[in-house]
C-alpha cells in the first residue's frame, strides 16, 4: 500500500533552515508529483509547492519563492523540503502528499504523510 | 486566488444523524476541481471526494458530494462514530491550490 513517512518534529531558531524528509513506498516513486502543504496553528491548510521525482521539476507558491527548495533521491524514494529564513509564523505542521495524476500536477492529494511539526522559537 | 469558506464552523450531531457541510468559493471553480478531505488529530488527512462528487477509493457510500460553480456540499447520510473529524474542501482548478478553513463535526 502507498505510504508516506515523514521525518520527526524539530525546533528551530528564527533565521535558521529546516529540512523535512518524506519517504515513500508502495508505488513507482518517479511516476507521481509530490506536494508540500502546511498548517499553522489555527490556520487553514496552505499549499506550498510540488516536486516531480522523475525530472526534478518544481513549482513553488509565490509566497515561498526564494525560501523553499524541494528535492528528491530516487535511490531511497524520498523527497525533501527545505525552508530557509525561518520566522515565528513558519511554525506549522508540514505535510507531504502525493498527486494521483502522473501526467500533470493536478493538485489533488490522494495520500498524505502524517505531518512534521516544525516549531520556530527563540 | 480562489478563497474558500466553509460553514458551519462546527457541527454537533449524534451518530446516525445526517451531516450537511457547505463550501463556498469566491469565484467559480474551474472544471469541477473540488475535493473534500477528512482529518483526525494525529492522522494523515484522507481524501474523500474529488471532482465534486466522485468518491475516492475505499470511501463508503454514506459520503457524497454535490454542487457546481461556487457552491458545494458534502453530505454524510448517517454518521458513524469514526466520522467525527474535521472536513476540508479544496479547489485544484487554478494554479494556486487552496483549502477552506474546515468544518469540525463533533459528537453532540
Amino acid at each position: 500500500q502507498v505510504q508516506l513517512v515523514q521525518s520527526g518534529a524539530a525546533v528551530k531558531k528564527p533565521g535558521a533552515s529546516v529540512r523535512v524528509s518524506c519517504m515513500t513506498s508502495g508505488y513507482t516513486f518517479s511516476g507521481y508529483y509530490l506536494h508540500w502543504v502546511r498548517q499553522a496553528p489555527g490556520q487553514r491548510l496552505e499549499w506550498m509547492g510540488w516536486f516531480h521525482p522523475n525530472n526534478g521539476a518544481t513549482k513553488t507558491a509565490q509566497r515561498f519563492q526564494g525560501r523553499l527548495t524541494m528535492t528528491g533521491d530516487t535511490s531511497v524514494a524520498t523527497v525533501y523540503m527545505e525552508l530557509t529564513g525561518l520566522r515565528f509564523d513558519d511554525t506549522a505542521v508540514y505535510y507531504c502528499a502525493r498527486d494521483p495524476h502522473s501526467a500533470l500536477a493536478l493538485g489533488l492529494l490522494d495520500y498524505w504523510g502524517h505531518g512534521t511539526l516544525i516549531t520556530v522559537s527563540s | 486566488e480562489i478563497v474558500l469558506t466553509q460553514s458551519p464552523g462546527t457541527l454537533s450531531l449524534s451518530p446516525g444523524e445526517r451531516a450537511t457541510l457547505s463550501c463556498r468559493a469566491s469565484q467559480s471553480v474551474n472544471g469541477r476541481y473540488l475535493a473534500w478531505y477528512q482529518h483526525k488529530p494525529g492522522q494523515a488527512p484522507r481524501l474523500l471526494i474529488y471532482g465534486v462528487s466522485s468518491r475516492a477509493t475505499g470511501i463508503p457510500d454514506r459520503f457524497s458530494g454535490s454542487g457546481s460553480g461556487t457552491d458545494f456540499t458534502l453530505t454524510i447520510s448517517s454518521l458513524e462514530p469514526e466520522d467525527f473529524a474535521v472536513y476540508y474542501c479544496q479547489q485544484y482548478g487554478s494554479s494556486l491550490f487552496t483549502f477552506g478553513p474546515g468544518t469540525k463535526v463533533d459528537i453532540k
Side-chain angles (χ1 to χ4, degrees):
Chain A
Q1 71 281 24
V2 175
Q3 288 190 305
L4 283 67
V5 179
Q6 298 184 222
S7 49
V11 179
K12 297 292 182 179
K13 294 192 181 300
S17 299
V18 68
R19 191 174 85 151
V20 178
S21 66
C22 172
M23 183 172 66
T24 73
S25 61
Y27 73 98
T28 303
F29 174 68
S30 59
Y32 297 85
Y33 292 82
L34 269 293
H35 297 259
W36 289 94
V37 176
R38 76 177 188 180
Q39 186 170 38
Q43 303 298 311
R44 64 184 68 196
L45 293 160
E46 179 178 30
W47 176 76
M48 301 176 68
W50 56 250
F51 171 82
H52 199 295
N54 187 47
N55 56 15
T58 62
K59 180 173 182 177
T60 302
Q62 186 171 11
R63 64 170 294 175
F64 297 105
Q65 286 180 0
R67 292 207 301 143
L68 176 64
T69 302
M70 294 170 285
T71 57
D73 184 342
T74 55
S75 68
V76 289
T78 299
V79 295
Y80 304 92
M81 182 278 297
E82 183 176 29
L83 191 63
T84 61
L86 289 171
R87 306 185 291 247
F88 293 118
D89 62 0
D90 289 318
T91 294
V93 177
Y94 290 77
Y95 297 95
C96 60
R98 192 190 79 158
D99 194 313
H101 294 79
S102 57
L104 75 160
L106 194 62
L108 184 64
L109 307 169
D110 66 345
Y111 290 95
W112 296 60
H114 279 68
T116 297
L117 174 61
I118 302 300
T119 303
V120 182
S121 174
S122 55
Chain B
E1 174 181 337
I2 297 178
V3 177
L4 301 178
T5 57
Q6 291 185 243
S7 60
T10 302
L11 196 52
S12 296
L13 295 168
S14 300
E17 290 193 292
R18 182 183 188 91
T20 303
L21 288 66
S22 173
C23 175
R24 178 163 290 178
S26 61
Q27 54 189 280
S28 185
V29 173
N30 188 31
R32 293 176 61 83
Y33 291 144
L34 192 286
W36 291 90
Y37 299 87
Q38 178 192 68
H39 194 194
K40 298 179 183 178
Q43 296 187 18
R46 177 189 183 196
L47 175 64
L48 298 175
I49 300 287
Y50 65 94
V52 175
S53 59
S54 297
R55 276 187 297 276
T57 302
I59 301 303
D61 61 6
R62 64 179 180 274
F63 291 92
S64 63
S66 63
S68 64
T70 60
D71 291 296
F72 303 91
T73 301
L74 174 70
T75 302
I76 310 171
S77 59
S78 177
L79 283 163
E80 296 288 339
E82 62 268 27
D83 298 338
F84 293 93
V86 179
Y87 293 84
Y88 296 98
C89 58
Q90 179 217 9
Q91 68 78 26
Y92 52 104
S94 70
S95 60
L96 180 61
F97 316 123
T98 55
F99 295 84
T103 290
K104 183 179 182 181
V105 179
D106 66 13
I107 300 176
K108 187 174 181 181

